[in-house]
Amino acid sequence: MNQISRAESGADGKTEIRKTTCYMCACRCGINVHMKDEKVHYIEGNRDHPINKGVLCAKGSAGIMQHYSPARLKKPLLRTGKRGEGKFKEIEWDEALGLATDWLGKVRSTDPRKLAFFTGRDQSQSMTGWWAQNFGTPNYAAHGGFCSVNMAAAGIYTMGGAFWEFGAPDWERTELFMIFGVAEDHDSNPIKMGLGRLKERGVKVIGVNPVRTGYNAIADEWLGITPGTDGLLILSLVHELLRAGNIDLDYLIRYTNAPWLVIDDTDAADHGLFARDEDGVALVANRETGMISASTLPGLKPALKGSFTLGDGRKATPVFELLAKTYLDEQYAPDAVAGRTGIEAATIRRIAAEIAEAAFEREVVIEQPWTDMKGERHERMVGRPVAFHAMRGISAHSNGFQTCRALHLLQILVGSIDCPGGFRFKPPYPRPVAGQPRPHGGACADTPLSGPHLGYPRGPEDLLLEADGETAERIDKAFSWDAPLSAHGLMHMVISNAHARDPYGIDVLFLYMANMAWNSSMNTTSVMDMLTDTDENGDYVIPKIIYSDAYSSEMVAFADLILPDTTYLERHDCISLLDRPISEPEALCDSIRWPVVEPDRDVRGFQSVLLDLGARLKLPGMVDEAGKAIYKDYADYIVNHQRKPGIGPLSGWRGENGDKTGRGEPNPEQLQRYIENGGFSMVHVPEEAHFFKHANRAWSDWAITHGLQDGPVENIFQLYLEPLRKFQLAAAGKVKPVPPEHQRDRIRRCFEPLPCWYPPFYEDGLEESEYPLHAITQRPAAMYHSWGSQNAWLRQIHGENALYVPGAICDREKLTDGDWALVTSPSGQIRVKVRRMDAVNGSTMWTWNAIGKRAGAWALDKGAPEATRGFLLNHLIDELLPPKGDGRRWANSDPITGQAAWFDLRVSIRRDPDQSTGHSLPETQAQEGPAASGPETVRFGLEKAQ
């Protein structure tokens, strides 16, 4: 059906509807953009779209104000003042691209490591990563390292997928839903729609979060947990389920490594690794005879407990035996964890019983035959209807990887992964580590990298280290001993490390849509200082900064060269299966954005600019043998680029005739076909492949046919994660490479192959009496990161923020609503307005994220409430942990993935003795332009916006 436009009668003419994809958050809903006289008139949800089915939130509806924001950049800019002042002159594109080519070309021809290219919340990371790979710098990543890499990496390593883009709850069948650490910004419309279905069906919803807002406010039960202790709560639930025998043993035997044998040979270099045969296949023991055999043999009845003798005479123990021994320990008993988590022991026991009751007494059966990967035929699909969802709240801690692993373990133990009523994978997932690339480094002048930057190490042998076996290759220290499994990089460490020249300095910092000078860095004040710091010669420590953004953000003021981007309604974009897909569990989906309106400024889509730069630099894959550009622009790339034969950015309407999906030759009419179909492609998964995708032959065959994988991929859920054990062996000096001495204890302690819990690092050496409180942020439903504050409609909802303080703390500190308070951490102090709140963990204060702004940014008036009364907690956080006295720079991150530990923050609070000053602190000097302040009153009518 042609959905591009239809005529509608209006008071003064015809209105045309153009269908595209929203970009007011990461949900990527389908929208209908109503156009009148080539002006955006109104935005509503697209009822035909698979993601939102017509539902649109406040952000999406307010996209019209984003598009017409007075903060939009108008032309390329070259800095004329000092960094941070915001003083620029307009230049032409030829000069801007010439400067960028000159700066980048010098780096590539000498030392590509000297370019650090990092992107923020763009949705074209497969393309930007490909560009950086061909440039040859090892220093590329996007924002995942300070968002939710712990959730993603823990899920991939454990089961081949995770929440949000990787999978979703079975909203129609689940009988119990638990949500951990989820604010209202990610996947918001599908979650709201799903919660609505649960409410309609009377399904209980349990919210686990220190703060009761949004989804947690409508939950049937709220657990106000102490920040950083979610893993302890989850493992206590595991303790109770094991103690009562409420686990799905058949599921564990079929789909997990629970029966795999772990070598027990204390002095050996393979102690704690899996016993394998000569082909590398994991071994199991027959539960009746004790005979050792390959785990892949069909019809096995493997043992889950006991000790067995291997062919070489050594002992080995099944994973499940180790698991049960670990979690039945009394340290995980509800009484032992209640005090630390803030959740009563009786509540933990009751919820464990509720999980078991829903999973095992209300099982869901679908009469659908299917065949597993071993060839065994099953006549029906049986599900354990308990579903979970989690995001940044449990991820952004220094113990977040193990906490996320613990949650996946909980789901697996009750058998609720990709079954009716449980968590369901979305295509192209599941994709276990076996189907993922390893990280690549090894920069050489004028040479592309041999593979993608980001990947999934299988052990220490895959780290990106210099010849000494200790020094990181990458500027962010990803895939080094600091953060071995940093699948998304460590964007939050780039500026800090480059400034410290640790492990080396850089020449060019190239950023896209990453407001690193404000809310996208951990400590805003120190990062602004780093960006403006000079060396002994008076030169900037970071010599060149190129930045691309559509708006006059805080980061713009610190750049040397600005390449202005378009708004999301003026550009081509590709929401690709190669990147961050929008599929649903029963449908393979991807989508596009396209220019529903042409820019009225001298701006260009960043991806097209990047391809232009690539051609000017003669990068492989971007020029032909004659040195001419292969791609005209990003739209041309989307249609004609092939990552491998037949596989391109978009899956729909491939092949010369547009009759293929997933695999097929480029189709010159592909984008037009997407536009005609409402901006998306959707192909349904066969019913036989709807569930158990990790072990379903029909799914495997369908995925191969549609280009999601090249061949069958073994996906055995990893309860016991062998790569972590390999790092422990390296720390013990039993395998090479060996970590530096100062890293070894932390690796031995934190890299347990079974999920574990340890206190957040921020608390090490911290006097609890000095900083007794936790402080965290929540993402408001009506804002998405910093760019929402330029939006005239959304500012009316969140024009300033307050710090919400538990009532008992207010009473103790004599704080009342509207008082100014001083909040202090080891890294700084802020002055904020407070509000009393009782629906919050008793030792936790919180505020809305990214509301505070630097005066002069985003075309806001310098006296705007965001700049005078708004604030960021970032001023209290630091990229580094408090000094330990050893002279080392310890990142404030998860030691396994490098995830930024935002939510480990500890603070104190007191009433400001001076209540007369009506301004939040710190008060940063205002930046000039480059966008002039917007009008005092915004009028939007049928004819124009102003």
Side-chain angles (χ1 to χ4, degrees), residues 420-482:
F423 165 88
R424 303 184 65 186
F425 290 117
K426 299 178 183 178
Y429 297 95
R431 278 185 172 171
V433 169
Q436 300 283 355
R438 290 171 166 83
H440 291 77
C444 297
D446 290 321
T447 305
L449 298 186
S450 60
H453 302 78
L454 306 178
Y456 291 82
R458 278 59 162 174
E461 67 275 11
D462 292 330
L463 294 182
L464 301 183
L465 302 171
E466 299 292 353
D468 63 4
E470 295 187 1
T471 305
E473 283 190 22
R474 290 174 53 111
I475 189 66
D476 59 355
K477 300 188 181 181
F479 309 111
S480 74
W481 296 113
D482 285 53

Side-chain angles (χ1 to χ4, degrees), residues 627-682:
K628 294 183 179 179
I630 293 176
Y631 304 111
K632 176 184 175 184
D633 53 22
Y634 189 38
D636 190 16
Y637 167 93
I638 290 172
V639 170
N640 291 302
H641 176 72
Q642 295 187 77
R643 196 53 54 95
K644 50 190 174 184
I647 305 296
L650 291 174
S651 66
W653 296 286
R654 299 194 67 80
E656 294 181 2
N657 300 316
D659 56 355
K660 298 178 181 179
T661 299
R663 293 185 189 270
E665 307 81 5
N667 169 20
E669 298 299 316
Q670 186 182 43
L671 284 178
Q672 184 58 34
R673 295 296 297 273
Y674 270 83
I675 293 170
E676 291 169 356
N677 196 59
F680 66 90
S681 167
M682 178 169 62

